Amino acid sequence: MVFIDLYRFRLKILLKDKALFFWTLIFPIMLGTFFWLAFSNITEKAEHIGKIDAALVDSGEYANKEQLDTFLQSVSGKDGNIKLREVSEDEAESMLEAGDVCGIINVSDKISLEFKDNGMQQTILKTMMDSYIQNEKLIMNIIKNNPEKLDAVIKSVSEEHTYNVEKSAASGDMDVYIQYYFALIAMSCLFGSSYGMKNAKDIQIMQSDVAKRRNVAPTGRMVNVLADFLSAVTVQTILFALLFIYLDIFLGINMGNRYGYILLAGFLAGVTGVGYGYVIGLLIKCSENFKEGIMRASTLLMCFLAGLMVGNMKYFIETNAPVINKINPAAVISDSFYSLCVFGDVKMYARCILTLVVMSVVFFGISVVCIRRDRA
Amino acid sequence: METVIKVENLLKRYNELIALDNFNLEVKEGEIFGLLGPNGSGKSTTISCILGLLKYDKGNIEVFGKKMSPYEYDIKRQIGVVMQNVAVFDELTVYENIDYFCGLYIKDRSLRKQYVKEAIDFVNLGDFEKFVPQKLSGGLLRRLNIACGIAHKPKLIFMDEPTVAVDPQSRNNILEGIKKLNSDGATIVYTSHYMEEVEKICTRIAIMDKGKNLAIGTKEELKNMINLGENVSIEILDFDEKYIQDIKKLPNVYSVEYVNKNLHVKYTKGQRNLIELLDFLRERNVEFGHVYSELPTLDDVFLEITGKELRDGE
């Protein structure tokens, strides 16, 4: 049979496998939709924080009252984040009790804050006031000890807190939840290992009768392996593209517009996933179901470590055991998208791509050796 | 006749277990060669070694006069295999499956198309071309399995128990098909548990057990190897078992037993055995019903050679 026919038939076989289709496309789409529903709700709430209502109780005893007034005016002005109402202590207490304000700023000889509940507004208010107190202490120390550096420090302090987030040069998204989607893509690509495992089964003489039948035919074994491998990678790349389109277009998650780079990363992630499946399928000698279980569990573990279930996990690992992030395919795949779509860092992207190439070569090398040793 | 398969002193070990023990075999062109033996006797191992699917420890295998190896593509091109289990892709239709496996042998697309059509006609699956295997009954699946193995018109076909779990009608169709393939020029190596099938279609038979070739020959030659003539069964409702010893003294009697209201007498050679037995019963006023007399079967041969029933080993 000519190579193209082998490739075509294998493509058909893989595409028609409903179970694999579910795990590599439908399941990630469902999970992505679930993420979208959950995160968009949170983002919406965050976006509707609006101005923070706060009460100010000022006894007029504060030493640097003039500076404090200037600061409070700046944060409660037209462009400020706080709606400040100067009231008496009793009024402030009843307003806090009634929920009209989220907190009370008590200014006597020192500044203190009073809250009834915890929440995002309270956190923002506390952060702003803590920041002011810290900077004020810093400036007072400078005036006392190094007055010549005062100008530089004031400039630095005023630049430090703009309370705005600077967007990267990449046209991507700084949505804090986007990392979940990248981990999701990594999961989908690594679930492509199912295709690798199916291919491994269909070429091993001791694993299936179809493999026996293929091996008694006068078509070279490696020709079959290559056709199978390319078909699996093609299918996985198509499924990646469909998942990406769904996330980007249908769910509106902004993943940037560097489509060429994105496709390359998706393609190599697919190659890595398929290669991983071959390795599991060829190296582990046990029942098909058990192999499937190992593959699925190990993939989910990798994705867990890459932050699919707990967002901070990858950063925790980066701090405590960074080597895991370097060899975990899910983390590398996720990083390749993150570097591209969030940081716009092509160097970091290239490093990830290179790592994926190395992983793929290692997986494929192991597979070829195993297949060559297959005859008992 | 040319020798198609020559196996000499084949030794195959699985760790400590000897699967084939200095096994020898020769299959001639145009034969339907039966390989008979219980599970674990080494039939499938023999076939796998010949096909290059298994390595072996010692010995020599030649197919079509050339030493067989997994890379002898010219030899492989002339071989077809019908596996014991149905070996097809669940995701492909009947037509696509046959096309795929035929395509592993035939590169020319138009020739392949013609061969696939002929294979479909041969197994009579024309109405099921677009069906996926899951939609086929057991018998139809077996036919598809056969079509996938023979579509490329091989000169040598290995059939490893192709009729397992097949209804009697489909089994007869398959056996007729095998005869047709043989009459079209294919040499066939056929393994089976079913003695009657082997007896019906095989021109020569080898009896295997524990990795050894115990006997080889035509069915007549095999039957002549054992010391058995005809088997007589007589239905007797009321039989006094004291007569058993007297019957044993009759000429040519090999064994006698009375089971389930039936008297079974096995003879060695000789003539007039049945007449003498019936005279014996009449003289003693023993009333009897149906009388059956048959020549020894391969079951008897197998029992005599291996000391056990073939199906005991399954």
Side-chain angles (χ1 to χ4, degrees):
Chain A
M1 190 187 289
V2 282
F3 185 82
I4 193 73
D5 286 336
L6 285 173
Y7 172 78
R8 190 172 54 86
F9 271 116
R10 195 69 197 169
L11 209 56
K12 200 175 260 187
I13 289 164
L14 296 179
L15 280 171
K16 281 189 176 178
D17 192 318
K18 289 182 185 122
L20 300 192
F21 187 74
F22 172 81
W23 283 109
T24 46
L25 185 67
I26 305 300
F27 180 65
I29 280 180
M30 285 163 60
L31 203 57
T33 310
F34 172 75
F35 281 168
W36 178 74
L37 289 171
F39 299 151
S40 60
N41 195 26
I42 293 171
T43 312
E44 232 169 61
K45 277 183 185 169
E47 279 170 0
H48 286 90
I49 285 170
K51 287 212 172 193
I52 300 164
D53 286 302
L56 176 66
V57 180
D58 193 349
S59 63
E61 293 169 15
Y62 196 65
N64 297 313
K65 186 160 180 353
E66 202 178 321
Q67 285 85 349
L68 178 64
D69 286 346
T70 310
F71 170 72
L72 291 175
Q73 274 167 24
S74 74
V75 297
S76 62
K78 201 174 101 185
D79 298 326
N81 298 322
I82 299 176
K83 189 179 172 189
L84 207 57
R85 279 179 269 182
E86 193 168 348
V87 290
S88 69
E89 197 175 340
D90 290 343
E91 276 178 307
E93 287 294 342
S94 55
M95 284 168 83
L96 182 66
E97 198 58 41
D100 296 337
V101 292
C102 77
I104 303 170
I105 305 170
N106 282 307
V107 181
S108 52
D109 56 337
K110 59 177 185 169
I111 300 169
S112 64
L113 292 165
E114 192 182 339
F115 298 113
K116 189 182 157 202
D117 302 311
N118 290 321
M120 200 170 281
Q121 292 188 334
Q122 287 82 347
T123 306
I124 293 169
L125 188 60
K126 186 170 187 316
T127 307
M128 288 169 81
M129 294 312 294
D130 284 349
S131 173
Y132 170 77
I133 294 164
Q134 204 178 348
N135 288 339
E136 191 197 80
K137 272 185 193 165
L138 178 70
I139 290 167
M140 295 313 289
N141 279 338
I142 296 292
I143 291 169
K144 201 172 163 186
N145 302 319
N146 303 87
E148 72 280 2
K149 290 184 179 171
L150 185 63
D151 283 348
V153 170
I154 288 173
K155 193 180 173 198
S156 162
V157 165
S158 60
E159 277 177 358
E160 192 183 336
H161 292 291
T162 57
Y163 297 104
N164 285 323
V165 179
E166 190 177 327
K167 275 204 157 192
S168 74
S171 51
D173 205 328
M174 281 299 288
D175 181 351
V176 288
Y177 300 110
I178 199 153
Q179 59 178 319
Y180 286 97
Y181 295 104
F182 293 144
L184 180 76
I185 290 174
M187 184 196 75
S188 168
C189 293
L190 288 178
F191 272 174
S193 48
S194 300
Y195 292 112
M197 225 173 80
K198 185 178 172 78
N199 284 351
K201 180 186 151 207
D202 284 348
I203 200 67
Q204 288 180 98
I205 293 163
M206 293 301 167
Q207 289 288 315
S208 77
D209 290 308
V210 162
K212 278 183 191 159
R213 185 163 255 167
R214 294 173 86 195
N215 276 286
V216 297
T219 304
R221 238 177 160 203
M222 285 302 151
V223 175
N224 274 317
V225 170
L226 193 63
D228 290 359
F229 181 76
L230 289 179
S231 311
V233 170
T234 306
V235 171
Q236 187 51 47
T237 307
I238 292 168
L239 297 182
F240 159 77
L242 291 174
L243 178 64
F244 183 84
I245 289 168
Y246 178 76
L247 294 175
D248 194 53
I249 295 175
F250 287 90
L251 297 188
I253 294 149
N254 186 1
M255 294 199 172
N257 52 9
R258 294 178 165 183
Y259 297 121
Y261 287 114
I262 289 167
L263 194 62
L264 177 65
F267 169 76
L268 282 173
V271 173
T272 309
V274 170
Y276 180 65
Y278 263 102
V279 169
I280 297 273
L282 292 164
L283 275 185
I284 298 172
K285 305 290 177 200
C286 58
S287 74
E288 215 44 42
N289 286 342
F290 193 70
K291 280 185 195 180
E292 184 80 18
I294 289 178
M295 191 272 293
R296 204 69 68 197
S298 58
T299 304
L300 284 173
L301 176 67
M302 286 188 251
C303 293
F304 170 73
L305 297 177
L308 180 66
M309 295 86 169
V310 181
N312 292 330
M313 183 53 73
K314 200 160 72 175
Y315 305 103
F316 175 77
I317 289 169
E318 191 62 43
T319 316
N320 296 292
V323 69
I324 293 178
N325 275 351
K326 300 275 186 296
I327 59 168
N328 175 5
V332 177
I333 293 166
S334 164
D335 278 349
S336 68
F337 289 105
Y338 210 84
S339 60
L340 195 64
C341 303
V342 176
F343 297 142
D345 184 347
V346 178
K347 268 189 187 169
M348 186 181 165
Y349 169 79
R351 247 194 331 269
C352 294
I353 292 295
L354 192 65
T355 311
L356 288 177
V357 169
V358 170
M359 283 178 179
S360 303
V361 169
V362 169
F363 288 153
F364 199 65
I366 293 171
S367 306
V368 168
V369 171
C370 290
I371 290 167
R372 282 188 178 278
R373 289 181 177 176
D374 182 37
R375 283 186 176 85
Chain B
M1 276 195 294
E2 248 181 69
T3 300
V4 175
I5 300 171
K6 192 174 183 183
V7 178
E8 291 173 310
N9 303 318
L10 197 64
L11 181 73
K12 170 68 188 171
R13 283 198 183 95
Y14 292 108
N15 298 320
E16 295 304 307
L17 178 80
I18 297 175
L20 292 174
D21 188 2
N22 283 307
F23 184 81
N24 291 286
L25 184 74
E26 211 171 298
V27 179
K28 302 280 184 191
E29 189 183 358
E31 283 188 312
I32 301 181
F33 189 90
L35 213 47
L36 203 59
N39 271 355
S41 60
K43 301 188 302 287
S44 294
T45 304
T46 305
I47 291 179
S48 293
C49 286
I50 295 171
L51 292 171
L53 292 174
L54 278 180
K55 288 178 187 167
Y56 46 91
D57 299 285
K58 229 175 80 182
N60 185 47
I61 297 173
E62 283 181 16
V63 179
F64 294 116
K66 282 185 185 172
K67 188 172 167 58
M68 184 61 180
S69 89
Y71 307 103
E72 281 294 343
Y73 295 148
D74 285 341
I75 298 177
K76 283 178 149 189
R77 204 160 279 125
Q78 300 176 66
I79 298 176
V81 183
V82 177
M83 302 285 175
Q84 186 172 351
N85 299 319
V86 175
V88 296
F89 290 109
D90 291 337
E91 298 84 0
L92 300 182
T93 63
V94 165
Y95 185 93
E96 288 167 339
N97 263 301
I98 301 170
D99 192 22
Y100 177 86
F101 288 110
C102 184
L104 294 175
Y105 297 81
I106 308 289
K107 284 187 178 175
D108 185 296
R109 280 183 184 163
S110 57
L111 183 63
R112 200 168 86 207
K113 199 172 175 182
Q114 178 199 327
Y115 279 9
V116 173
K117 277 280 171 206
E118 285 173 14
I120 287 173
D121 291 342
F122 180 77
V123 293
N124 209 9
L125 279 176
D127 294 337
F128 305 95
E129 270 185 27
K130 291 195 178 356
F131 281 50
V132 288
Q134 281 171 334
K135 302 276 180 194
L136 299 179
S137 67
L140 294 177
L141 266 178
R142 287 279 160 191
R143 286 198 240 163
L144 170 62
N145 198 35
I146 291 171
C148 290
I150 55 102
H152 59 286
K153 300 195 185 297
K155 287 184 184 166
L156 171 62
I157 304 170
F158 289 88
M159 295 193 151
D160 195 0
E161 314 216 18
T163 57
V164 168
V166 169
D167 62 275
Q169 196 187 345
S170 296
R171 179 175 295 175
N172 285 335
N173 288 338
I174 290 170
L175 294 180
E176 288 308 312
I178 291 167
K179 280 186 184 171
K180 171 84 170 53
L181 285 169
N182 181 244
S183 65
D184 288 346
T187 303
I188 292 165
V189 177
Y190 188 89
T191 76
S192 180
H193 283 114
Y194 301 115
M195 296 280 191
E196 57 277 22
E197 281 184 7
V198 173
E199 202 165 351
K200 192 173 172 185
I201 65 167
C202 292
T203 48
R204 276 203 314 148
I205 299 153
I207 293 179
M208 284 186 79
D209 197 26
K210 294 177 183 165
K212 286 184 178 172
N213 192 346
L214 300 179
I216 190 164
T218 62
K219 55 191 170 197
E220 288 77 21
E221 285 169 344
L222 288 176
K223 284 171 188 174
N224 284 332
M225 281 179 197
I226 60 170
N227 194 22
L228 280 181
E230 64 189 320
N231 296 331
V232 174
S233 297
I234 302 174
E235 189 184 29
I236 304 173
L237 296 177
D238 187 19
F239 182 70
D240 190 341
E241 295 197 18
K242 72 180 181 191
Y243 295 133
I244 286 179
Q245 292 307 319
D246 296 330
I247 294 170
K248 276 185 179 173
K249 287 173 190 159
L250 292 173
N252 301 324
V253 171
Y254 176 74
S255 68
V256 184
E257 59 181 347
Y258 181 69
V259 182
N260 296 333
K261 309 282 182 195
N262 274 285
L263 179 69
H264 300 282
V265 184
K266 287 187 177 182
Y267 289 90
T268 55
K269 312 293 174 196
Q271 292 176 335
R272 292 179 52 83
N273 293 327
L274 179 60
I275 295 168
E276 285 186 20
L277 178 62
L278 295 179
D279 287 347
F280 175 90
L281 294 173
R282 281 192 202 103
E283 282 165 15
R284 284 154 186 83
N285 295 321
V286 176
E287 288 183 5
F288 52 85
H290 296 290
V291 177
Y292 306 94
S293 172
E294 58 180 13
L295 290 170
T297 62
L298 280 178
D299 271 314
D300 299 310
V301 176
F302 193 86
L303 179 67
E304 183 77 3
I305 290 175
T306 65
K308 61 189 175 189
E309 297 271 358
L310 180 60
R311 283 176 182 81
D312 285 348
E314 289 179 27

